[in-house]
Amino acid sequence: MEKSRFESIGACLPDKIVSTRDLLAKMSKPQNIDLEGLTGIKERHVRVDGEDSFTFAADAARNCISKSQYDAEDLDVIICTSITRIKDNVKFIDEPSMSYYIKKRVGATKAMHFDISNACAGMLTGCMILDNLIQSGMVKNGMVVSGEYNTSVAETALKEIDERIHPQFASLTVGDAGVAYIMDKSEAEDEGVDLIDLAAVAEYADLCMGLPSEKSKGLAMYTRTKEIQSNFRSRFPQFVDSVFQKNNRDFNPDAYDYIILHQMAERVTEANLNALEEHFGRFMPPALNSVEEYGNTSSTTLFLILHNKLKEGVIRPGMTILLISLASGIILGCLSLKIGDMKV
């Protein structure tokens, strides 16, 4: 069966880095919170004036194109999956779409363009859509891109958290980033997307909500952290099992060199790995993490790790990687990927 593949990947990170200690020092009403001890997050990249969702996405797209065999005008489609569609520092872009502005910035004159929104599973959802477009022959190639100015919710939380247990606590774990990747049809049998699927458990949609603050003019994120983590752990191992069964296969952890799970906190990742091992009765492959340096970069998280570990040479051609998305909604995603000549 012909497969689509990841042809190239690029990223953009703001230069400014803020430690967890320095972040908490900015709280209007300081709380006795050991955020680093609870989450494992030591620092995160944070935007400065002139940087926003659009600049991160556009710069990641240009970085990706610079590594690709394709020029911008060769792209058939651009799919933007940002949650935080902020442009010109303060404008939340709804229409025209963010993908339109990215298309213009990079010079992808022939490309179709559209936005999708699926919380932190956005880039994985974009992959599934683009994989289907390539498999059907509707396009030969395309780009999925996301830029996240997440720290807007952290800025609100710093002003509004007034007790140790607060629904905006998770907002202090986020960081900013942009990632883009180009996919096309694989010319080799031993590379590309092996399987991909997503599912939503919409009854839990209100466990994590992003909306205008209830107290100020800023954007806010309200999360019932324990409940959302409990429901993730109880449901996603069965989801992974069902994805493989639907493809007439049994899940074999030994077939994978690494696993990448959505990054929220070190303890959460460990608990999620334990849930997989308990469900399947098998040890999982080594997990690749980034939360210590970057925090939770929402829709870009899985692919930021993929980019960085390719660049570092940890992930190499011939390896098989399992990516699992755990997003508010609740949205579960699973991507099995064989690495080929992916340029980074």
Side-chain angles (χ1 to χ4, degrees), residues 57-97:
D59 287 349
R62 288 190 292 197
N63 180 252
C64 180
I65 292 167
S66 73
K67 309 294 190 295
S68 174
Q69 65 178 309
Y70 299 107
D71 295 325
E73 56 266 30
D74 297 326
L75 295 176
D76 291 332
V77 61
I78 292 179
I79 306 170
C80 181
T81 68
S82 302
I83 303 170
T84 59
R85 298 192 294 275
I86 299 173
K87 187 174 181 290
D88 301 329
N89 287 335
V90 294
K91 298 176 183 176
F92 192 92
I93 300 298
D94 186 34
E95 183 65 33
S97 64

Side-chain angles (χ1 to χ4, degrees), residues 246-300:
K246 190 162 68 174
N247 286 270
N248 300 314
R249 294 163 52 182
D250 291 326
F251 173 56
N252 177 16
D254 296 335
Y256 293 93
D257 295 283
Y258 293 108
I259 186 171
I260 304 175
L261 292 110
H262 184 71
Q263 304 289 288
M264 292 174 275
E266 284 183 348
R267 292 181 182 181
V268 174
T269 300
E270 184 177 349
N272 288 336
L273 283 170
N274 290 339
L276 281 170
E277 291 179 348
E278 182 177 342
H279 178 80
F280 289 103
R282 303 277 299 277
F283 288 115
M284 291 298 111
L288 297 176
N289 301 310
S290 67
V291 71
E292 180 178 325
E293 297 176 89
Y294 303 107
N296 178 358
T297 61
S298 59
S299 70
T300 67

Side-chain angles (χ1 to χ4, degrees), residues 167-208:
Q168 292 188 61
F169 175 79
S171 301
L172 302 178
T173 68
V174 299
D176 299 331
V179 177
Y181 57 79
I182 292 173
M183 295 175 66
D184 62 8
K185 185 171 288 188
S186 174
E187 296 180 357
E189 293 183 0
D190 59 347
E191 71 168 332
V193 175
D194 192 32
L195 60 83
I196 183 169
D197 208 348
L198 291 111
V201 190
E203 64 196 89
Y204 300 114
D206 62 344
L207 296 183
C208 182

